[in-house]
Amino acid sequence: MSIRRLPEHLVNRIAAGEVVERPASALKELVENAIDAGSTRIAIRLAAGGTELIEVIDDGCGMDAAEMALALERHATSKLPDDEIDQVTTLGFRGEALPSIASVARLTLESRVRGADGWALTLDNGDRLEEGPAALPPGTRVRVEQLFARVPARRKFLRSSRAEFAAAMDVVKRLAMARPDIAFSMEHEGRRVLSVQGGETRPQRVAGLTDRELANNSVAIDFEREGLVLGGVAAIPTFNRGVADHQYLFVNGRPVKDRLLAGAVRGAYAEMLARDRHPVVALFLDVPADQVDVNVHPAKTEVRFRDPALARGLIVSGLRRALDEAGHRSVQRPSEAALGMWTAEPVQPTPAYEPLARYSGAVHERRPTFFSPPPQARAEPAEAPVPASTDFPLGVARGQVAKTYIVAEAADGLVLVDQHAAHERLVLERMRRAVQGGGVASQALLLPEVVELDEPACDRLESRTAELAEFGLELERFGPRAMLVRATPALLGQGDVHGLVTDLADELAGFDEALSLKERLDHVAATMACHGSVRAGRILGVAEMNVLLREMEATPHSGQCNHGRPTWVKLAHGDIEKLFGRK
């Protein structure tokens, strides 16, 4: 087979395969062009997630008729006035977006320079149909219709309209976050789904596009080292999410998804978060143009640093310094009361209260009453005979330390149990048995609770309401950005409903739409179990501790929690003797 030069329309379609992967990719290129044009206001309209319509309107500098014709040719751009590609400061610079999009869709380009008349061009899958004068305010309007309609091999690989809309929303959020000086609005199927005003501060814009509670649960980042500047906001460790989708990283104002930067964020939070939790951050890294290469990916979503170690070290140090300055808001430090638990104290008689013999046998919330003794780091005097420690592998509860760890005495040593990790595993196993037995019993809420989320998260939950009902969670859509919780799994008791629904929405973002929730039983049940387990910091009675120990002995896999951490450890008699130098 001889070598031949490919025709122009085929070259554009090949380029479109690199640049225009899905509707969100085309939208990203068009919004970047609007930002580079010096716009102060950008309006976006979508239909069917962008597959049927993408329209971007800006009030930027605009183009005349000659420039519009040139803009539709490959590798034609106004963003490289000279040949110094390593000094590029704009979001776009390749000159491939418009011709690539026009080769796989119907594209209408209208533009007007201030003080001149407007002009319009229409192309249909690479063929120019018409052009002529157009009436519009100064700026540019780009309309993309029927994306991939004539490329069925590409169209059939697109996901559902909801999934494509969620991807488009994520793209716009990231670009809007990078430019708080620009006003953005976005409509989908005629309904306003995003609106932010120009002239906002960076923390205001980040909080407005992520979670309104972030403003009160974050620290500001302002750090500089060797010419690199790091800014932005970072959530305190206790304000975390179940997936890493809420980490927004920018290099010189360009949204990126870079493994080096994501790894640095994980490293900064390594000692403050469980392995299955992820921080919410928006980090803006400003680097001299000659220290970073942005021309390493067709979609410009990856970058390469000349000194990767410097960039990583800057992020780790900047985040840790900001979190340390936040003091007790970020890192849980031992309180005076916790330290006082280790001091010797005389055993005082306990005021009379309801005997433990009447205890129902389930772990429950014990609220302090007028007659309750003050919490102490020791067991309460037993009002019923204490069983012999030799009767049980995990021994008999003797007390509680730091409101988190159960101390038990076994025949062959001392057992320490993490009450939250242990109960989390027990709840998970109960849920597994319930689902396999036909469904999880639900408990109706006296007052249904409204949980506010972003629209894509609500869409994901709404599409799974029937399956979630089998897990005992009854949800209803409550407007575009909220879900109404009518019932929760009875196994969970009175847990954190808002946290449960939020984490489930995050979990569903990573699921294949073709898989049922029963095929991801462990993930869904583990998320629910985490919110229904006994929390660290909750005071348990001796009887409650013993019930927990007995259920652990009867439950498979109770030696580790849902996240792989151990639920209990044992100090054998010999180990204790070694600690005191007796052996």
Side-chain angles (χ1 to χ4, degrees), residues 276 419-437 440 471 489 491-492 504 517 520-534 548 551 555-565 567:
D276 63 317
Q419 65 189 40
H420 172 66
H423 197 242
E424 191 175 354
R425 167 58 71 175
L426 299 182
V427 174
L428 172 61
E429 296 299 331
R430 289 180 206 157
M431 292 201 70
R432 280 177 173 169
R433 292 193 296 268
V435 172
Q436 293 168 358
V440 179
F471 286 84
L491 288 171
L492 305 188
L504 279 175
L517 292 191
R520 303 302 298 269
L521 169 63
D522 285 352
H523 290 273
V524 177
T527 300
M528 290 186 171
C530 186
H531 288 274
S533 55
V534 173
L548 190 63
E551 190 172 356
T555 302
H557 313 300
S558 63
Q560 64 277 337
C561 75
N562 310 343
H563 315 296
R565 297 189 296 272
T567 59

Side-chain angles (χ1 to χ4, degrees), residues 72 102 105-108 121-130:
L72 292 169
R106 180 185 177 93
L107 182 140
T108 302
L121 284 172
T122 301
L123 289 84
D124 189 3
N125 288 270
D127 298 327
R128 184 170 297 189
L129 297 183
E130 56 184 356

Side-chain angles (χ1 to χ4, degrees), residues 435-449:
V435 172
Q436 293 168 358
V440 179
S442 61
Q443 179 177 353
L445 299 180
L446 184 62
L447 294 176
E449 187 163 338

Side-chain angles (χ1 to χ4, degrees), residues 111-268:
S111 192
R112 176 188 165 200
V113 179
R114 284 171 177 77
D117 295 330
W119 195 256
L121 284 172
T122 301
L123 289 84
D124 189 3
N125 288 270
D127 298 327
R128 184 170 297 189
L129 297 183
E130 56 184 356
E131 61 178 307
L136 73 160
T140 301
R141 179 191 297 131
V142 184
R143 186 180 179 92
V144 179
E145 300 169 279
Q146 298 293 319
L147 185 65
F148 299 134
R150 296 189 187 177
V151 192
R154 294 292 303 278
R155 184 115 181 182
K156 70 179 181 181
F157 283 101
L158 295 180
R159 302 180 68 183
S160 66
S161 295
R162 283 183 172 180
E164 296 299 341
F165 163 64
M169 174 72 87
D170 183 67
V171 163
V172 175
K173 277 186 177 181
R174 292 176 186 274
L175 289 169
M177 208 174 289
R179 293 299 299 269
D181 57 314
I182 300 177
F184 286 82
S185 65
M186 181 173 173
E187 293 182 4
H188 183 239
E189 302 289 1
R191 184 165 46 81
R192 180 70 58 89
V193 294
L194 182 147
S195 180
V196 289
Q197 300 302 313
E200 294 180 321
T201 64
R202 187 175 282 171
Q204 287 175 334
R205 177 61 60 88
V206 171
L209 292 172
T210 53
D211 191 321
R212 284 175 289 184
E213 297 180 5
L214 181 63
N216 298 323
N217 292 279
S218 62
V219 293
I221 309 294
D222 188 6
F223 194 65
E224 183 175 359
R225 177 186 292 173
E226 299 183 28
L228 277 66
V229 179
L230 178 68
V233 294
I236 58 178
T238 50
F239 189 86
N240 52 62
R241 301 300 288 267
V243 293
D245 292 351
H246 304 276
Q247 296 175 7
Y248 303 91
L249 307 174
F250 305 85
V251 176
N252 292 345
R254 182 189 307 278
V256 298
K257 295 183 178 179
D258 188 86
R259 292 182 180 179
L260 172 73
L261 303 184
V265 172
R266 284 196 303 271

Side-chain angles (χ1 to χ4, degrees), residues 193-459:
V193 294
L194 182 147
S195 180
V196 289
Q197 300 302 313
E200 294 180 321
T201 64
R202 187 175 282 171
Q204 287 175 334
R205 177 61 60 88
V206 171
L209 292 172
T210 53
D211 191 321
R212 284 175 289 184
E213 297 180 5
L214 181 63
N216 298 323
N217 292 279
S218 62
V219 293
I221 309 294
D222 188 6
F223 194 65
E224 183 175 359
R225 177 186 292 173
E226 299 183 28
L228 277 66
V229 179
L230 178 68
V233 294
I236 58 178
T238 50
F239 189 86
N240 52 62
R241 301 300 288 267
V243 293
D245 292 351
H246 304 276
Q247 296 175 7
Y248 303 91
L249 307 174
F250 305 85
V251 176
N252 292 345
R254 182 189 307 278
V256 298
K257 295 183 178 179
D258 188 86
R259 292 182 180 179
L260 172 73
L261 303 184
V265 172
R266 284 196 303 271
Y269 280 87
E271 299 173 359
M272 308 176 217
L273 282 179
R275 284 172 293 179
D276 63 317
R277 306 301 296 179
H278 303 272
V280 179
V281 298
L283 300 180
F284 300 82
L285 183 61
D286 293 323
V287 185
D290 59 351
Q291 297 292 316
V292 61
D293 185 2
V294 298
N295 188 29
V296 296
H297 190 276
K300 307 178 291 294
T301 56
E302 299 177 7
V303 295
R304 184 177 296 133
F305 295 96
R306 178 170 293 181
D307 189 348
L310 176 60
R312 187 185 189 282
L314 177 75
I315 292 176
V316 173
S317 299
L319 280 173
R320 285 187 174 173
R321 176 175 296 186
L323 292 172
D324 285 343
E325 290 175 355
H328 67 277
R329 293 182 60 214
S330 57
V331 182
Q332 300 298 321
R333 309 189 188 282
S335 64
E336 292 297 326
L339 293 175
M341 290 178 178
W342 294 99
T343 61
E345 54 183 335
V347 177
Q348 301 173 355
T350 305
Y353 58 99
E354 186 177 0
L356 292 177
R358 299 170 65 180
Y359 171 64
S360 63
V363 178
H364 66 289
E365 186 75 47
R366 281 201 331 140
R367 302 184 185 278
T369 65
F370 180 77
F371 297 103
S372 300
Q376 298 172 339
R378 53 178 170 78
E380 306 136 6
E383 298 190 12
V386 177
S389 61
T390 57
D391 296 340
F392 306 105
L394 291 180
V396 174
R398 298 301 187 194
Q400 186 182 29
V401 175
K403 304 178 186 178
T404 302
Y405 304 101
I406 298 171
V407 181
E409 181 186 358
D412 55 349
L414 188 69
V415 177
L416 295 175
V417 179
D418 182 334
Q419 65 189 40
H420 172 66
H423 197 242
E424 191 175 354
R425 167 58 71 175
L426 299 182
V427 174
L428 172 61
E429 296 299 331
R430 289 180 206 157
M431 292 201 70
R432 280 177 173 169
R433 292 193 296 268
V435 172
Q436 293 168 358
V440 179
S442 61
Q443 179 177 353
L445 299 180
L446 184 62
L447 294 176
E449 187 163 338
V450 177
V451 179
E452 294 186 357
L453 302 163
D454 60 19
E455 189 166 346
C458 291
D459 289 340

